[in-house]
Amino acid sequence: MKFETSTTEFLSAVGTATRFVERRANLPVLAGILMVAEGGRLTLRATNLECGVEITVPAKIATEGMVVVPAGVLSGFLNTARGKTVSISLVGEVCKVETERASASIKTLPHEDFPVLPRVSAERSFTAKSADLARAIRSVAYCASLSATKPELQSVLLSADGGKLTAAATDSFRLAEKVVPLRGSASTPQLLVPARNAAELMRILDTAGGEAEIYFNENQLSTHVGTIYYTSRVIDAAFPNYKQIIPKTFATEALVLREDLAVALKSISIFADKFSHVSVSLDPVKKTLTLTSRNPDVGEQVCTLKATISGEPFTMSFNGRYLADSLQSAQGESIKIQANGPGKAILIRDAGDDSFFYLAMPMNR
Amino acid sequence: MFCTYSFFDGKVVTAYSYTTNPMTTTKELWENALVELELTISKPNFNTWFKDTHIVKVEEGTVYLGVPSQFARDWLSTKFHKDILRSLRSLSDTVRSVEYIISRGPKKNTVEEARTVPPPPSELPLESIHQKTNLNPRFTFSSLVVGPFNELAHAAAQAVIRKPGIAYNPLLIYGPTGLGKTHLIQSIGNHFRVTTPDRKVQYMTSEKFSMDYVSSLQAGKVQSFKEKYRQYDLLIMDDVQFLAKMEKTKEEFFHLFNFLHDGNKQLIFTSDQHPNVIQGLEDRMRSRLNAGMIVSVTPPDHESRLAIVRAKATAHNVIMPDEVLEYLATTVEGNVRELEGALNLLLIQFELRNNETLTLNDAKTLLRGAASATKKAVSVQEVVRTISGFYGVEEHSIYEKTRRKEVVRPRQVIMFLLREDFKISFPTIGEKLGGRDHTTVIHSCEKIKNDLRSDSVLSQELSQIRLMLK
C-alpha cells in the first residue's frame, strides 16, 4: 500500500476519526484507525462499537491496500508535522509516514480484526439542515444523565413528526427540549442516541454544513454528510413520557433579560456552597428577581435584577448550575421564568421563541 | 443536606422487549458451542464479539442467535459465521443454518434474579473456622487435656485470660510439633471471642502473615496492610520461627510487634524452639520475646498420654478396655498427634466390627506398624557428634580419659540419652565411649536423672538435643 495526500485534509480526517477510537477496548485493534486505499480513494475508519465513522480523503494512490495504525500515535505525529503533503506506505508490518520534514515508522495492528461499520438501508430517513440538527442536539445533550444505570436517561431523544424534529434529554432532575424544522414531513419512532454519540454527530454536522439525511432502523442510525459516514447505536428502551409533567398553568411568571441573569448566576456561583445552592425570589410588588447564595467558608452574596413579574411572590432554592445551563441554549434577549410554588418544577423558556424549554426541579432542604 | 426532587419518582418504566424463551437445552447448546469457539478464536476477539450472545430460539434447524448490537451482528455474520455454524453442527445434527437477531436477551433478568437470591451457606456454621477471627471453634480449654507436660503453659494462658496485655505479654509457647500448642493458643482466642465479642481477635500462621505482606507489597497497599494488623486487640501467630528467614517480613513484624505491645495489646506466639536458639532471629526481636513469658510444652509423660487417649476415646463415645488404652499410651511415644492417629486406627476397626470390644491382642496387631515407626536408628557416633557439637567440645575428647568439667557433663548427657532414648545396654555404652566400666555409665545416668529434677536449663538442653537427633 502506498499513497500521498494533503497534510491538512488528512490531519483533520485523522482528528475526527481519533474521537471514535476506543483505547481501553478488549480488542486492541479498536485503538487504531483503518486506512483503506482502494479504487482511487482513501478511506479512514474508526469505531468503538457504540458509534463509528468513515471518512473519505482525496489521495493519490500508488498501490492499493489497507493498514491499521494506533490512532494516538498517528494523530500525535501528524499534529506536529509540517508541510503540504504526507506520503504513507506499508513496508512489511510497519507503516511509514513521511512528511517534508520528518518520517515515522509506526507499528501496525492486524487489519483482519477490524470490524465493518453497520450500514442502514435508505428505507426510513428524515432530512434537516445540518446546523438545525446540531443545534437541537446541543440545546439538550448536557441534560443527559452521566450514570449508566438507566441507558434511556444517558441518551438524547430524537423524534420527527409533522415537519418538526424534537430533541430532548433528562437526568430526571432537569429536562430540556428543543424543536427544529425538518425538510419534508417524515415521521419517526423515538430514537434514543447515547449522549456521547450524539455529541460526536453534532461536531460532524457543525463542520459539514448543508443538509443531512439521517437513516435509521430499530438498532442503528447513520448519516452521510460531505465526505463522512457516521453511524451510532440506537438504544432499545423507552424514553420517559415527559410531556405529562410539563405544567400548563402557572402561579408566577417573570420576564428577565437573559444576559443580566447569566452574569448574575455566574457571579452568584462564587459564593454558592458545594451543592451550588442558590435561592431565587420573585417579588411582583417591587418587580425584582433576587438571587442569594451563601457559603459558610466564603461568604454570601445577594444579587437583585429588574424583572417584569406577575402573580404571587415566590422564593425557592435551586442548583445554580442547572439554572445557568439553561441559558446557554436560549438565544433571545429575554427569558421567561414560570413557577408554581414550593416543591414544583420551574419552567424556563426563550421569551420570543417557543422551540426551547427547560424544566428544573427545586432543591429541598 | 439538600437533594433535588426527581421528576419521575417511580414512574420511569423501562420497557425492554424480551422475545426470548430461554430453554436450558438451547442455553447448554450455546454454552458448549462457546467453549469450542473460544479455542479457535483469539481471546480479545472472543470477549468483544461473543459477549452477551445467546440463542433466542431454534426453529426447523435454524438457530436464531441473539446479539447485542448491529455491530456485533454484521461482524459475526461476515467473520465468524463459518466457525459458529461448524461448532453448532458438531454439537447438534439438526442445526442447518444460523440467523442473527439483535436482542438484549435474558441478561437483565438473570442479573436481577441473582441479586435477590442470597448466597447459600457453603459450610455448616458449627465446625467452620470463624470467618473474622480465623479461629477454629473446635479448640477450647474444655477439650484440652492438662498434664505435667503442659501445665505451665496452661497456667500462663489462664493468666493471660485474666489480665490480657498485662500479665504476660508476649506469651510464647514453644515445643516440638504435635503437643497442642495450636490448641492452647486458639483456646485463648476462642475464650476472648466468646466472652468479649467486641475485642478484635485474630489467629494466623506466620506464613499467612508473610503472604499477606508480600501481596500487599505487590499491590502497593502496604499502608492498608499496616492498618489492618494494627487494629487487633489480640494477635495470635503460629510458628513464628518461619519469620526468622524472611528479612522484610521480619522487619514489618517487628514494627507491628512494637505498635501492638506499646498499646498493651496481647500477643501470643508459638514456635518450635526457644527464641534464643532460633537461627536468623535478630537480638532486638529475641530480647522482646524474652521480655514476656516463654513456656515450653514437652512430650506428655505416660500418665498424661493415658489421660489424653481416654479423653479422646470418650469424645468419640467409645469405651475401650483399660489394658488397650494402657498399651496405646505405652507403645506410641512422642507427640499427641501420633497418639491420636493410632487411636483413630483402633476406632475405625472398632466401627468395622460393629462396635465389638477390641482386645489387647487386636490392638497389638493393629498398632504394630504405628509403634515401630516412631523409633529411628541413630548411630552412637552420630549422637556423640551432635551432643559434643551442641556443647562445643571436641568430639574426640568424649572418648578420652579426661575428667575436665566441660567434657564430663556432655559425656554424661550422651550416656543418659543413649540409655534412655535408644535403650542401649550399660556395658555397650561404656565400651563404645572409650572402654569405660558399666558402673560409670550407671552413675552418669543416675546423676543426670537427679539433676533433671532441679535443673531447668538441663531439661531445656535435653529437649533441644532430642530435637536435633530426630
Side-chain angles (χ1 to χ4, degrees), chain A residues 165-219:
Chain A
L165 175 78
T166 307
T170 179
D171 60 4
S172 86
F173 304 114
R174 60 315 205 354
L175 179 146
E177 188 204 82
K178 173 81 179 171
V179 179
V180 292
L182 273 185
R183 230 1 99 82
S185 59
S187 166
T188 71
Q190 290 196 332
L191 298 169
L192 284 172
V193 185
R196 241 186 85 198
N197 304 0
E200 292 305 336
L201 174 61
M202 184 182 88
R203 292 178 74 165
I204 286 171
L205 293 171
D206 272 341
T207 47
E211 283 193 349
E213 185 167 12
I214 310 278
Y215 306 99
F216 62 89
N217 61 26
E218 319 69 88
N219 306 305

Short mmCIF file of all heavy atoms in Angstrom, two decimals, chain A residues 165-219:
data_model
loop_
_atom_site.label_atom_id
_atom_site.label_comp_id
_atom_site.label_asym_id
_atom_site.label_seq_id
_atom_site.Cartn_x
_atom_site.Cartn_y
_atom_site.Cartn_z
N LEU A 165 -38.60 18.25 14.13
CA LEU A 165 -37.78 17.28 14.86
C LEU A 165 -37.69 17.73 16.31
O LEU A 165 -37.34 18.88 16.58
CB LEU A 165 -36.37 17.18 14.26
CG LEU A 165 -35.43 16.27 15.04
CD1 LEU A 165 -35.71 14.82 14.74
CD2 LEU A 165 -33.98 16.61 14.75
N THR A 166 -38.03 16.83 17.21
CA THR A 166 -37.95 17.15 18.63
C THR A 166 -36.75 16.44 19.23
O THR A 166 -36.59 15.23 19.06
CB THR A 166 -39.23 16.69 19.35
OG1 THR A 166 -40.35 17.22 18.66
CG2 THR A 166 -39.24 17.16 20.79
N ALA A 167 -35.91 17.20 19.93
CA ALA A 167 -34.79 16.59 20.67
C ALA A 167 -35.03 16.85 22.15
O ALA A 167 -35.49 17.93 22.53
CB ALA A 167 -33.47 17.21 20.25
N ALA A 168 -34.76 15.85 22.98
CA ALA A 168 -34.97 16.02 24.41
C ALA A 168 -33.96 15.17 25.17
O ALA A 168 -33.48 14.16 24.67
CB ALA A 168 -36.40 15.62 24.81
N ALA A 169 -33.65 15.62 26.39
CA ALA A 169 -32.78 14.82 27.26
C ALA A 169 -33.08 15.19 28.70
O ALA A 169 -33.48 16.32 28.98
CB ALA A 169 -31.30 15.09 26.96
N THR A 170 -32.90 14.23 29.59
CA THR A 170 -33.15 14.50 31.01
C THR A 170 -32.31 13.57 31.86
O THR A 170 -31.99 12.46 31.45
CB THR A 170 -34.65 14.31 31.36
OG1 THR A 170 -34.81 14.55 32.75
CG2 THR A 170 -35.12 12.90 31.04
N ASP A 171 -31.93 14.06 33.04
CA ASP A 171 -31.30 13.17 34.01
C ASP A 171 -32.23 12.98 35.20
O ASP A 171 -31.81 12.58 36.27
CB ASP A 171 -29.94 13.70 34.45
CG ASP A 171 -30.04 15.06 35.11
OD1 ASP A 171 -31.17 15.56 35.28
OD2 ASP A 171 -29.00 15.64 35.45
N SER A 172 -33.49 13.33 35.02
CA SER A 172 -34.58 13.22 35.98
C SER A 172 -34.57 14.34 37.03
O SER A 172 -35.46 14.39 37.86
CB SER A 172 -34.63 11.84 36.67
OG SER A 172 -33.79 11.82 37.78
N PHE A 173 -33.58 15.24 36.98
CA PHE A 173 -33.62 16.42 37.84
C PHE A 173 -33.93 17.67 37.02
O PHE A 173 -34.44 18.64 37.52
CB PHE A 173 -32.30 16.61 38.58
CG PHE A 173 -31.91 15.41 39.37
CD1 PHE A 173 -30.79 14.67 39.03
CD2 PHE A 173 -32.69 14.98 40.44
CE1 PHE A 173 -30.44 13.56 39.75
CE2 PHE A 173 -32.34 13.86 41.16
CZ PHE A 173 -31.22 13.15 40.82
N ARG A 174 -33.52 17.62 35.76
CA ARG A 174 -33.85 18.72 34.84
C ARG A 174 -34.04 18.10 33.47
O ARG A 174 -33.60 16.97 33.22
CB ARG A 174 -32.76 19.77 34.83
CG ARG A 174 -31.36 19.46 34.43
CD ARG A 174 -30.46 18.78 34.49
NE ARG A 174 -29.07 18.66 34.38
CZ ARG A 174 -28.15 19.51 34.00
NH1 ARG A 174 -28.43 20.72 33.65
NH2 ARG A 174 -26.91 19.14 33.96
N LEU A 175 -34.72 18.85 32.63
CA LEU A 175 -35.06 18.34 31.30
C LEU A 175 -35.02 19.49 30.31
O LEU A 175 -35.40 20.61 30.64
CB LEU A 175 -36.47 17.73 31.35
CG LEU A 175 -37.08 17.15 30.06
CD1 LEU A 175 -37.93 15.96 30.41
CD2 LEU A 175 -37.92 18.15 29.30
N ALA A 176 -34.54 19.21 29.10
CA ALA A 176 -34.55 20.23 28.06
C ALA A 176 -35.17 19.64 26.80
O ALA A 176 -35.00 18.46 26.51
CB ALA A 176 -33.12 20.70 27.77
N GLU A 177 -35.92 20.48 26.10
CA GLU A 177 -36.49 20.04 24.83
C GLU A 177 -36.31 21.14 23.80
O GLU A 177 -36.47 22.33 24.12
CB GLU A 177 -37.99 19.73 24.98
CG GLU A 177 -38.58 19.09 23.74
CD GLU A 177 -40.08 19.31 23.63
OE1 GLU A 177 -40.48 20.40 23.16
OE2 GLU A 177 -40.83 18.39 23.99
N LYS A 178 -35.93 20.75 22.61
CA LYS A 178 -35.74 21.72 21.53
C LYS A 178 -36.42 21.17 20.28
O LYS A 178 -36.28 19.99 19.96
CB LYS A 178 -34.24 21.92 21.29
CG LYS A 178 -33.88 22.78 20.12
CD LYS A 178 -33.97 24.25 20.45
CE LYS A 178 -33.59 25.12 19.25
NZ LYS A 178 -33.88 26.54 19.52
N VAL A 179 -37.14 22.05 19.59
CA VAL A 179 -37.80 21.63 18.35
C VAL A 179 -37.19 22.41 17.19
O VAL A 179 -37.02 23.63 17.29
CB VAL A 179 -39.33 21.89 18.44
CG1 VAL A 179 -40.01 21.47 17.14
CG2 VAL A 179 -39.93 21.16 19.62
N VAL A 180 -36.81 21.69 16.14
CA VAL A 180 -36.26 22.36 14.95
C VAL A 180 -37.03 21.90 13.71
O VAL A 180 -37.62 20.80 13.71
CB VAL A 180 -34.75 22.05 14.76
CG1 VAL A 180 -33.93 22.69 15.86
CG2 VAL A 180 -34.50 20.57 14.68
N PRO A 181 -37.04 22.73 12.68
CA PRO A 181 -37.80 22.34 11.47
C PRO A 181 -37.11 21.22 10.70
O PRO A 181 -35.89 21.07 10.74
CB PRO A 181 -37.83 23.63 10.65
CG PRO A 181 -36.69 24.44 11.15
CD PRO A 181 -36.50 24.08 12.58
N LEU A 182 -37.92 20.44 10.00
CA LEU A 182 -37.41 19.36 9.16
C LEU A 182 -37.66 19.71 7.70
O LEU A 182 -38.53 20.50 7.38
CB LEU A 182 -38.16 18.07 9.46
CG LEU A 182 -37.71 17.15 10.57
CD1 LEU A 182 -38.57 15.91 10.54
CD2 LEU A 182 -36.26 16.78 10.40
N ARG A 183 -36.90 19.10 6.84
CA ARG A 183 -37.21 19.14 5.41
C ARG A 183 -38.20 18.00 5.15
O ARG A 183 -37.92 16.87 5.54
CB ARG A 183 -35.93 18.86 4.65
CG ARG A 183 -35.39 19.69 3.54
CD ARG A 183 -36.10 20.89 3.10
NE ARG A 183 -35.56 22.15 3.65
CZ ARG A 183 -34.50 22.76 3.12
NH1 ARG A 183 -33.89 22.30 2.08
NH2 ARG A 183 -34.08 23.89 3.65
N GLY A 184 -39.32 18.31 4.56
CA GLY A 184 -40.29 17.24 4.31
C GLY A 184 -41.07 16.93 5.57
O GLY A 184 -41.00 17.63 6.58
N SER A 185 -41.83 15.86 5.53
CA SER A 185 -42.69 15.56 6.68
C SER A 185 -42.50 14.12 7.12
O SER A 185 -43.46 13.35 7.22
CB SER A 185 -44.15 15.82 6.32
OG SER A 185 -44.49 15.01 5.21
N ALA A 186 -41.27 13.75 7.35
CA ALA A 186 -41.00 12.39 7.80
C ALA A 186 -41.51 12.19 9.22
O ALA A 186 -41.63 13.13 9.98
CB ALA A 186 -39.51 12.12 7.75
N SER A 187 -41.81 10.97 9.53
CA SER A 187 -42.24 10.65 10.88
C SER A 187 -41.40 9.48 11.39
O SER A 187 -41.19 8.50 10.67
CB SER A 187 -43.73 10.29 10.86
OG SER A 187 -44.08 9.67 12.06
N THR A 188 -40.90 9.59 12.60
CA THR A 188 -40.04 8.53 13.14
C THR A 188 -40.56 8.08 14.49
O THR A 188 -41.28 8.82 15.16
CB THR A 188 -38.61 9.03 13.36
OG1 THR A 188 -38.63 9.92 14.47
CG2 THR A 188 -38.03 9.74 12.17
N PRO A 189 -40.20 6.87 14.89
CA PRO A 189 -40.44 6.48 16.28
C PRO A 189 -39.44 7.22 17.17
O PRO A 189 -38.64 8.01 16.68
CB PRO A 189 -40.18 4.98 16.28
CG PRO A 189 -39.21 4.77 15.18
CD PRO A 189 -39.52 5.82 14.14
N GLN A 190 -39.47 6.97 18.46
CA GLN A 190 -38.49 7.56 19.37
C GLN A 190 -37.12 6.93 19.11
O GLN A 190 -36.95 5.72 19.25
CB GLN A 190 -38.88 7.29 20.82
CG GLN A 190 -40.10 8.06 21.26
CD GLN A 190 -40.23 8.08 22.77
OE1 GLN A 190 -39.76 7.17 23.44
NE2 GLN A 190 -40.86 9.11 23.29
N LEU A 191 -36.16 7.75 18.73
CA LEU A 191 -34.80 7.25 18.52
C LEU A 191 -33.95 7.73 19.68
O LEU A 191 -33.79 8.93 19.89
CB LEU A 191 -34.23 7.77 17.20
CG LEU A 191 -34.97 7.35 15.94
CD1 LEU A 191 -34.47 8.16 14.74
CD2 LEU A 191 -34.79 5.87 15.69
N LEU A 192 -33.40 6.78 20.46
CA LEU A 192 -32.58 7.16 21.60
C LEU A 192 -31.11 6.97 21.25
O LEU A 192 -30.64 5.85 21.12
CB LEU A 192 -32.94 6.30 22.82
CG LEU A 192 -34.24 6.68 23.52
CD1 LEU A 192 -34.59 5.65 24.56
CD2 LEU A 192 -34.10 8.05 24.15
N VAL A 193 -30.40 8.07 21.08
CA VAL A 193 -28.99 8.01 20.72
C VAL A 193 -28.17 8.31 21.98
O VAL A 193 -28.41 9.33 22.63
CB VAL A 193 -28.66 9.08 19.64
CG1 VAL A 193 -27.22 8.94 19.19
CG2 VAL A 193 -29.62 8.94 18.48
N PRO A 194 -27.22 7.43 22.36
CA PRO A 194 -26.39 7.72 23.53
C PRO A 194 -25.79 9.12 23.43
O PRO A 194 -25.29 9.51 22.37
CB PRO A 194 -25.29 6.64 23.46
CG PRO A 194 -25.94 5.51 22.73
CD PRO A 194 -26.88 6.14 21.75
N ALA A 195 -25.84 9.86 24.55
CA ALA A 195 -25.46 11.28 24.52
C ALA A 195 -24.04 11.48 23.98
O ALA A 195 -23.77 12.45 23.28
CB ALA A 195 -25.58 11.88 25.92
N ARG A 196 -23.15 10.55 24.31
CA ARG A 196 -21.77 10.69 23.82
C ARG A 196 -21.71 10.61 22.30
O ARG A 196 -21.01 11.37 21.64
CB ARG A 196 -20.92 9.54 24.40
CG ARG A 196 -19.77 10.00 25.26
CD ARG A 196 -18.93 8.81 25.65
NE ARG A 196 -17.95 8.48 24.65
CZ ARG A 196 -17.33 7.30 24.58
NH1 ARG A 196 -17.62 6.35 25.42
NH2 ARG A 196 -16.44 7.07 23.64
N ASN A 197 -22.48 9.65 21.76
CA ASN A 197 -22.51 9.51 20.31
C ASN A 197 -23.17 10.72 19.65
O ASN A 197 -22.75 11.17 18.58
CB ASN A 197 -23.27 8.25 19.90
CG ASN A 197 -22.70 7.00 20.55
OD1 ASN A 197 -21.73 7.08 21.29
ND2 ASN A 197 -23.29 5.86 20.24
N ALA A 198 -24.22 11.24 20.31
CA ALA A 198 -24.93 12.39 19.77
C ALA A 198 -24.00 13.59 19.70
O ALA A 198 -24.04 14.37 18.74
CB ALA A 198 -26.15 12.70 20.63
N ALA A 199 -23.13 13.75 20.71
CA ALA A 199 -22.20 14.87 20.71
C ALA A 199 -21.24 14.78 19.52
O ALA A 199 -20.89 15.80 18.91
CB ALA A 199 -21.42 14.90 22.02
N GLU A 200 -20.82 13.56 19.19
CA GLU A 200 -19.93 13.38 18.03
C GLU A 200 -20.66 13.71 16.73
O GLU A 200 -20.11 14.35 15.83
CB GLU A 200 -19.39 11.95 17.96
CG GLU A 200 -18.42 11.59 19.07
CD GLU A 200 -17.24 12.56 19.18
OE1 GLU A 200 -16.91 13.22 18.18
OE2 GLU A 200 -16.69 12.67 20.29
N LEU A 201 -21.93 13.28 16.66
CA LEU A 201 -22.74 13.60 15.47
C LEU A 201 -22.83 15.12 15.32
O LEU A 201 -22.69 15.66 14.22
CB LEU A 201 -24.14 12.97 15.62
CG LEU A 201 -25.16 13.32 14.54
CD1 LEU A 201 -24.67 12.85 13.17
CD2 LEU A 201 -26.53 12.71 14.84
N MET A 202 -23.05 15.80 16.45
CA MET A 202 -23.16 17.24 16.44
C MET A 202 -21.90 17.89 15.87
O MET A 202 -21.97 18.79 15.03
CB MET A 202 -23.38 17.69 17.89
CG MET A 202 -23.63 19.13 18.11
SD MET A 202 -23.78 19.35 19.88
CE MET A 202 -22.08 19.59 20.34
N ARG A 203 -20.74 17.41 16.29
CA ARG A 203 -19.48 18.01 15.83
C ARG A 203 -19.30 17.78 14.33
O ARG A 203 -18.80 18.65 13.61
CB ARG A 203 -18.30 17.42 16.59
CG ARG A 203 -18.30 17.84 18.04
CD ARG A 203 -17.16 17.21 18.80
NE ARG A 203 -15.88 17.84 18.47
CZ ARG A 203 -14.78 17.68 19.21
NH1 ARG A 203 -14.83 16.94 20.30
NH2 ARG A 203 -13.66 18.25 18.87
N ILE A 204 -19.72 16.60 13.88
CA ILE A 204 -19.57 16.31 12.45
C ILE A 204 -20.50 17.21 11.64
O ILE A 204 -20.12 17.78 10.61
CB ILE A 204 -19.87 14.81 12.19
CG1 ILE A 204 -18.69 13.98 12.69
CG2 ILE A 204 -20.15 14.55 10.73
CD1 ILE A 204 -18.94 12.51 12.68
N LEU A 205 -21.74 17.37 12.14
CA LEU A 205 -22.70 18.22 11.43
C LEU A 205 -22.23 19.67 11.41
O LEU A 205 -22.41 20.38 10.42
CB LEU A 205 -24.08 18.13 12.11
CG LEU A 205 -24.78 16.78 12.01
CD1 LEU A 205 -26.01 16.76 12.90
CD2 LEU A 205 -25.17 16.48 10.56
N ASP A 206 -21.62 20.12 12.51
CA ASP A 206 -21.12 21.50 12.60
C ASP A 206 -20.13 21.79 11.49
O ASP A 206 -20.18 22.84 10.85
CB ASP A 206 -20.45 21.72 13.95
CG ASP A 206 -21.45 22.17 15.01
OD1 ASP A 206 -22.54 22.66 14.61
OD2 ASP A 206 -21.17 22.03 16.20
N THR A 207 -19.19 20.86 11.28
CA THR A 207 -18.16 21.12 10.28
C THR A 207 -18.67 20.88 8.87
O THR A 207 -18.18 21.49 7.93
CB THR A 207 -16.92 20.24 10.52
OG1 THR A 207 -17.38 18.90 10.73
CG2 THR A 207 -16.13 20.70 11.72
N ALA A 208 -19.64 19.98 8.73
CA ALA A 208 -20.09 19.62 7.38
C ALA A 208 -20.96 20.70 6.76
O ALA A 208 -20.81 21.05 5.60
CB ALA A 208 -20.85 18.29 7.43
N GLY A 209 -21.90 21.25 7.52
CA GLY A 209 -22.83 22.23 6.97
C GLY A 209 -23.81 21.56 6.00
O GLY A 209 -23.90 20.33 5.92
N GLY A 210 -24.56 22.38 5.29
CA GLY A 210 -25.50 21.85 4.31
C GLY A 210 -26.64 21.09 4.96
O GLY A 210 -27.08 21.42 6.06
N GLU A 211 -27.10 20.07 4.25
CA GLU A 211 -28.22 19.28 4.77
C GLU A 211 -27.75 17.88 5.12
O GLU A 211 -26.80 17.37 4.52
CB GLU A 211 -29.33 19.20 3.72
CG GLU A 211 -30.12 20.47 3.64
CD GLU A 211 -31.40 20.31 2.85
OE1 GLU A 211 -31.55 19.25 2.19
OE2 GLU A 211 -32.24 21.21 2.88
N ALA A 212 -28.45 17.29 6.07
CA ALA A 212 -28.09 15.93 6.46
C ALA A 212 -29.31 15.04 6.41
O ALA A 212 -30.39 15.42 6.89
CB ALA A 212 -27.52 15.92 7.88
N GLU A 213 -29.12 13.89 5.78
CA GLU A 213 -30.21 12.91 5.77
C GLU A 213 -29.83 11.81 6.74
O GLU A 213 -28.76 11.20 6.62
CB GLU A 213 -30.42 12.35 4.36
CG GLU A 213 -31.62 11.42 4.31
CD GLU A 213 -32.05 11.09 2.89
OE1 GLU A 213 -31.29 11.40 1.95
OE2 GLU A 213 -33.14 10.51 2.73
N ILE A 214 -30.70 11.58 7.71
CA ILE A 214 -30.42 10.59 8.75
C ILE A 214 -31.23 9.32 8.43
O ILE A 214 -32.45 9.38 8.32
CB ILE A 214 -30.82 11.12 10.14
CG1 ILE A 214 -30.24 12.49 10.40
CG2 ILE A 214 -30.45 10.10 11.21
CD1 ILE A 214 -28.83 12.54 10.86
N TYR A 215 -30.52 8.20 8.25
CA TYR A 215 -31.19 6.92 8.03
C TYR A 215 -31.28 6.20 9.36
O TYR A 215 -30.39 6.31 10.20
CB TYR A 215 -30.39 6.06 7.05
CG TYR A 215 -30.10 6.75 5.75
CD1 TYR A 215 -28.87 7.34 5.52
CD2 TYR A 215 -31.09 6.83 4.77
CE1 TYR A 215 -28.59 8.00 4.35
CE2 TYR A 215 -30.82 7.48 3.58
CZ TYR A 215 -29.57 8.07 3.37
OH TYR A 215 -29.33 8.73 2.21
N PHE A 216 -32.32 5.43 9.54
CA PHE A 216 -32.43 4.74 10.84
C PHE A 216 -33.21 3.44 10.70
O PHE A 216 -33.99 3.25 9.78
CB PHE A 216 -33.13 5.65 11.87
CG PHE A 216 -34.54 6.01 11.49
CD1 PHE A 216 -35.60 5.20 11.87
CD2 PHE A 216 -34.80 7.15 10.76
CE1 PHE A 216 -36.90 5.53 11.52
CE2 PHE A 216 -36.10 7.48 10.39
CZ PHE A 216 -37.15 6.67 10.77
N ASN A 217 -32.95 2.53 11.63
CA ASN A 217 -33.82 1.38 11.88
C ASN A 217 -33.90 1.20 13.39
O ASN A 217 -33.45 2.07 14.13
CB ASN A 217 -33.33 0.13 11.15
CG ASN A 217 -31.94 -0.29 11.59
OD1 ASN A 217 -31.52 0.00 12.70
ND2 ASN A 217 -31.21 -0.95 10.70
N GLU A 218 -34.42 0.09 13.87
CA GLU A 218 -34.63 -0.04 15.33
C GLU A 218 -33.31 -0.06 16.09
O GLU A 218 -33.28 0.18 17.29
CB GLU A 218 -35.37 -1.31 15.74
CG GLU A 218 -36.54 -1.85 14.98
CD GLU A 218 -36.20 -2.40 13.63
OE1 GLU A 218 -35.87 -3.58 13.56
OE2 GLU A 218 -36.26 -1.64 12.64
N ASN A 219 -32.22 -0.44 15.41
CA ASN A 219 -30.98 -0.65 16.13
C ASN A 219 -29.89 0.35 15.83
O ASN A 219 -28.94 0.48 16.58
CB ASN A 219 -30.42 -2.04 15.80
CG ASN A 219 -31.44 -3.11 16.06
OD1 ASN A 219 -31.96 -3.22 17.15
ND2 ASN A 219 -31.76 -3.88 15.03
#
